[in-house]
Amino acid sequence: MLNSGIHWDFILAFTVVLISLPVLIHLAPGLGLVDHPDERKHHAGSVPLVGGVAIFLAMLLVLGIQYIDQSGIKEMLAGGLLLVVIGVIDDRDHIHPRYRFLVQILAACLMIFGAEVLLRDFGQLIGAWEFELKWAAIPITAFCVVGVTNAANMIDGIDGLSASLFLVCLAGLGLAINDASGGLNSAPEILVMAGALLAYLLFNLRFPWRKNALTFFGDAGTLLLGFIMAWLLVRYSQGPNRTIAPVTALWLFAVPLLDTVFLMIKRKLEGKSMVKADRCHLHHAFLKSGWSVNATLAIIVFISVELAGIGLLFEWAQVPEYMSFYAFLLVAGVYYFGMRRFWKKIEQ
């Protein structure tokens, strides 16, 4: 059972976003935080880019006030602030990607050196042998944090998608923590983020009475959430009292991860910049096939739930980690060759 304190953290975060977003949406045009349609972005009209600011405000007011003395919270909020600030600047003025990468590395350093949250091993990926990182732990952790942060940024392509995928990941992680400890007392950030994201979805989803989103995350939001997701997945998959195996983290974050790796390889093979945006994401494949935005959203979220569920089932059934890893590689291979075949057919 969830205790009342955690329950109120969820409600408070939900309420902060619910109240602050209409105000931020009203202020967005004056602040220059508005996304306009172009050859790559096909949304209708200009949309405020303030969802991430509202999410961070909820984190600041709930985690910052009630849990500021809890281990890692100061560093999490400081890293999140760095990413929100650089994201807001990018949303407004479109800065060079190198500056975003630099700030992401700084945020990762706060996580690694400030909170001592880092990847010390990859688990038992090869038989019963523990794949320890030792001296490589710091650079590999920084690389993974930057990778997950950018994967979160790249998947944000249609209304409701990124927030829904983050919620799936949070739900899977929350279930694992609750199963392991009988509650979420030690992880208030899980339900704070969940409450904030659910409130945001009320403004970001398409409904029968509203055909378009009222706000987007913006880079401020996707960078923030990618960083938080990386933090949580590393924190709960490491150490002697880990909640999940490292390989289970791959299953929980599977869709953004598979989508990003496929695109990086595709762009590299085609001689294109790996950081330049295009319209070859998973959601674009469904849209190209004639599915509506809401149908595409439902299908991808269903896929994400299924993959997260497989990972958790492997975890709870105590399937050897290397078998879970090989199963994930099989899924990754099917995904890669399926997407390659689809886009080759489309581009002919």
Side-chain angles (χ1 to χ4, degrees), residues 127-140:
W129 178 59
E130 197 84 12
F131 198 121
E132 296 184 1
L133 298 178
K134 298 182 180 179
W135 61 268
I138 290 173
I140 289 178

PDB file of all heavy atoms in Angstrom, residues 127-140:
ATOM      1  N   GLY A 127      26.798 -15.079 -18.647  1.00  0.00           N
ATOM      2  CA  GLY A 127      26.725 -16.130 -17.644  1.00  0.00           C
ATOM      3  C   GLY A 127      26.555 -15.544 -16.249  1.00  0.00           C
ATOM      4  O   GLY A 127      25.847 -14.568 -16.043  1.00  0.00           O
ATOM      5  N   ALA A 128      27.244 -16.133 -15.276  1.00  0.00           N
ATOM      6  CA  ALA A 128      27.138 -15.680 -13.893  1.00  0.00           C
ATOM      7  C   ALA A 128      28.177 -14.614 -13.558  1.00  0.00           C
ATOM      8  O   ALA A 128      28.281 -14.166 -12.421  1.00  0.00           O
ATOM      9  CB  ALA A 128      27.303 -16.869 -12.950  1.00  0.00           C
ATOM     10  N   TRP A 129      28.949 -14.199 -14.563  1.00  0.00           N
ATOM     11  CA  TRP A 129      30.019 -13.226 -14.334  1.00  0.00           C
ATOM     12  C   TRP A 129      29.446 -11.814 -14.289  1.00  0.00           C
ATOM     13  O   TRP A 129      28.695 -11.398 -15.160  1.00  0.00           O
ATOM     14  CB  TRP A 129      31.058 -13.335 -15.447  1.00  0.00           C
ATOM     15  CG  TRP A 129      32.175 -12.344 -15.320  1.00  0.00           C
ATOM     16  CD1 TRP A 129      33.031 -12.214 -14.269  1.00  0.00           C
ATOM     17  CD2 TRP A 129      32.549 -11.365 -16.281  1.00  0.00           C
ATOM     18  NE1 TRP A 129      33.919 -11.194 -14.515  1.00  0.00           N
ATOM     19  CE2 TRP A 129      33.657 -10.661 -15.747  1.00  0.00           C
ATOM     20  CE3 TRP A 129      32.075 -11.020 -17.546  1.00  0.00           C
ATOM     21  CZ2 TRP A 129      34.283  -9.622 -16.430  1.00  0.00           C
ATOM     22  CZ3 TRP A 129      32.694  -9.986 -18.225  1.00  0.00           C
ATOM     23  CH2 TRP A 129      33.784  -9.307 -17.676  1.00  0.00           C
ATOM     24  N   GLU A 130      29.817 -11.058 -13.244  1.00  0.00           N
ATOM     25  CA  GLU A 130      29.359  -9.682 -13.078  1.00  0.00           C
ATOM     26  C   GLU A 130      30.186  -8.764 -13.968  1.00  0.00           C
ATOM     27  O   GLU A 130      31.412  -8.703 -13.847  1.00  0.00           O
ATOM     28  CB  GLU A 130      29.497  -9.250 -11.609  1.00  0.00           C
ATOM     29  CG  GLU A 130      28.697  -8.016 -11.254  1.00  0.00           C
ATOM     30  CD  GLU A 130      27.253  -8.336 -10.910  1.00  0.00           C
ATOM     31  OE1 GLU A 130      26.919  -9.520 -10.734  1.00  0.00           O
ATOM     32  OE2 GLU A 130      26.463  -7.390 -10.822  1.00  0.00           O
ATOM     33  N   PHE A 131      29.528  -8.051 -14.865  1.00  0.00           N
ATOM     34  CA  PHE A 131      30.214  -7.172 -15.809  1.00  0.00           C
ATOM     35  C   PHE A 131      30.502  -5.836 -15.124  1.00  0.00           C
ATOM     36  O   PHE A 131      29.776  -4.867 -15.285  1.00  0.00           O
ATOM     37  CB  PHE A 131      29.339  -6.960 -17.046  1.00  0.00           C
ATOM     38  CG  PHE A 131      30.084  -6.444 -18.246  1.00  0.00           C
ATOM     39  CD1 PHE A 131      30.090  -7.159 -19.430  1.00  0.00           C
ATOM     40  CD2 PHE A 131      30.774  -5.246 -18.196  1.00  0.00           C
ATOM     41  CE1 PHE A 131      30.753  -6.684 -20.546  1.00  0.00           C
ATOM     42  CE2 PHE A 131      31.455  -4.769 -19.285  1.00  0.00           C
ATOM     43  CZ  PHE A 131      31.440  -5.483 -20.473  1.00  0.00           C
ATOM     44  N   GLU A 132      31.590  -5.767 -14.335  1.00  0.00           N
ATOM     45  CA  GLU A 132      31.934  -4.557 -13.605  1.00  0.00           C
ATOM     46  C   GLU A 132      32.651  -3.557 -14.505  1.00  0.00           C
ATOM     47  O   GLU A 132      33.459  -3.934 -15.352  1.00  0.00           O
ATOM     48  CB  GLU A 132      32.805  -4.902 -12.393  1.00  0.00           C
ATOM     49  CG  GLU A 132      32.095  -5.760 -11.353  1.00  0.00           C
ATOM     50  CD  GLU A 132      32.955  -6.004 -10.121  1.00  0.00           C
ATOM     51  OE1 GLU A 132      34.083  -5.491 -10.082  1.00  0.00           O
ATOM     52  OE2 GLU A 132      32.481  -6.713  -9.218  1.00  0.00           O
ATOM     53  N   LEU A 133      32.376  -2.272 -14.297  1.00  0.00           N
ATOM     54  CA  LEU A 133      32.941  -1.223 -15.139  1.00  0.00           C
ATOM     55  C   LEU A 133      34.236  -0.644 -14.578  1.00  0.00           C
ATOM     56  O   LEU A 133      35.063  -0.134 -15.324  1.00  0.00           O
ATOM     57  CB  LEU A 133      31.915  -0.104 -15.326  1.00  0.00           C
ATOM     58  CG  LEU A 133      30.625  -0.533 -16.020  1.00  0.00           C
ATOM     59  CD1 LEU A 133      29.650   0.629 -16.110  1.00  0.00           C
ATOM     60  CD2 LEU A 133      30.909  -1.084 -17.411  1.00  0.00           C
ATOM     61  N   LYS A 134      34.392  -0.669 -13.263  1.00  0.00           N
ATOM     62  CA  LYS A 134      35.606  -0.205 -12.589  1.00  0.00           C
ATOM     63  C   LYS A 134      35.974   1.209 -13.034  1.00  0.00           C
ATOM     64  O   LYS A 134      35.188   2.125 -12.903  1.00  0.00           O
ATOM     65  CB  LYS A 134      36.740  -1.214 -12.818  1.00  0.00           C
ATOM     66  CG  LYS A 134      36.425  -2.597 -12.236  1.00  0.00           C
ATOM     67  CD  LYS A 134      37.562  -3.569 -12.434  1.00  0.00           C
ATOM     68  CE  LYS A 134      37.216  -4.944 -11.841  1.00  0.00           C
ATOM     69  NZ  LYS A 134      38.286  -5.924 -12.024  1.00  0.00           N
ATOM     70  N   TRP A 135      37.180   1.410 -13.599  1.00  0.00           N
ATOM     71  CA  TRP A 135      37.653   2.747 -13.967  1.00  0.00           C
ATOM     72  C   TRP A 135      36.789   3.394 -15.045  1.00  0.00           C
ATOM     73  O   TRP A 135      36.755   4.626 -15.175  1.00  0.00           O
ATOM     74  CB  TRP A 135      39.103   2.671 -14.459  1.00  0.00           C
ATOM     75  CG  TRP A 135      39.274   1.809 -15.684  1.00  0.00           C
ATOM     76  CD1 TRP A 135      39.575   0.492 -15.724  1.00  0.00           C
ATOM     77  CD2 TRP A 135      39.127   2.228 -17.045  1.00  0.00           C
ATOM     78  NE1 TRP A 135      39.622   0.032 -17.019  1.00  0.00           N
ATOM     79  CE2 TRP A 135      39.365   1.086 -17.851  1.00  0.00           C
ATOM     80  CE3 TRP A 135      38.824   3.443 -17.664  1.00  0.00           C
ATOM     81  CZ2 TRP A 135      39.300   1.142 -19.241  1.00  0.00           C
ATOM     82  CZ3 TRP A 135      38.767   3.493 -19.056  1.00  0.00           C
ATOM     83  CH2 TRP A 135      39.005   2.356 -19.827  1.00  0.00           C
ATOM     84  N   ALA A 136      36.076   2.574 -15.818  1.00  0.00           N
ATOM     85  CA  ALA A 136      35.255   3.119 -16.910  1.00  0.00           C
ATOM     86  C   ALA A 136      33.875   3.561 -16.439  1.00  0.00           C
ATOM     87  O   ALA A 136      33.083   4.078 -17.240  1.00  0.00           O
ATOM     88  CB  ALA A 136      35.109   2.066 -18.004  1.00  0.00           C
ATOM     89  N   ALA A 137      33.575   3.383 -15.151  1.00  0.00           N
ATOM     90  CA  ALA A 137      32.233   3.686 -14.647  1.00  0.00           C
ATOM     91  C   ALA A 137      31.841   5.142 -14.888  1.00  0.00           C
ATOM     92  O   ALA A 137      30.712   5.425 -15.304  1.00  0.00           O
ATOM     93  CB  ALA A 137      32.142   3.354 -13.154  1.00  0.00           C
ATOM     94  N   ILE A 138      32.750   6.066 -14.628  1.00  0.00           N
ATOM     95  CA  ILE A 138      32.407   7.495 -14.752  1.00  0.00           C
ATOM     96  C   ILE A 138      32.138   7.892 -16.203  1.00  0.00           C
ATOM     97  O   ILE A 138      31.074   8.450 -16.504  1.00  0.00           O
ATOM     98  CB  ILE A 138      33.510   8.370 -14.117  1.00  0.00           C
ATOM     99  CG1 ILE A 138      33.483   8.189 -12.596  1.00  0.00           C
ATOM    100  CG2 ILE A 138      33.308   9.845 -14.474  1.00  0.00           C
ATOM    101  CD1 ILE A 138      34.629   8.876 -11.879  1.00  0.00           C
ATOM    102  N   PRO A 139      33.044   7.640 -17.150  1.00  0.00           N
ATOM    103  CA  PRO A 139      32.745   8.039 -18.533  1.00  0.00           C
ATOM    104  C   PRO A 139      31.543   7.311 -19.138  1.00  0.00           C
ATOM    105  O   PRO A 139      30.768   7.897 -19.896  1.00  0.00           O
ATOM    106  CB  PRO A 139      34.033   7.712 -19.296  1.00  0.00           C
ATOM    107  CG  PRO A 139      34.766   6.740 -18.451  1.00  0.00           C
ATOM    108  CD  PRO A 139      34.414   7.086 -17.037  1.00  0.00           C
ATOM    109  N   ILE A 140      31.375   6.027 -18.785  1.00  0.00           N
ATOM    110  CA  ILE A 140      30.236   5.278 -19.336  1.00  0.00           C
ATOM    111  C   ILE A 140      28.929   5.804 -18.753  1.00  0.00           C
ATOM    112  O   ILE A 140      27.929   5.930 -19.473  1.00  0.00           O
ATOM    113  CB  ILE A 140      30.404   3.766 -19.078  1.00  0.00           C
ATOM    114  CG1 ILE A 140      31.512   3.216 -19.965  1.00  0.00           C
ATOM    115  CG2 ILE A 140      29.091   3.026 -19.338  1.00  0.00           C
ATOM    116  CD1 ILE A 140      31.806   1.749 -19.768  1.00  0.00           C
TER     117      ILE A 140
END
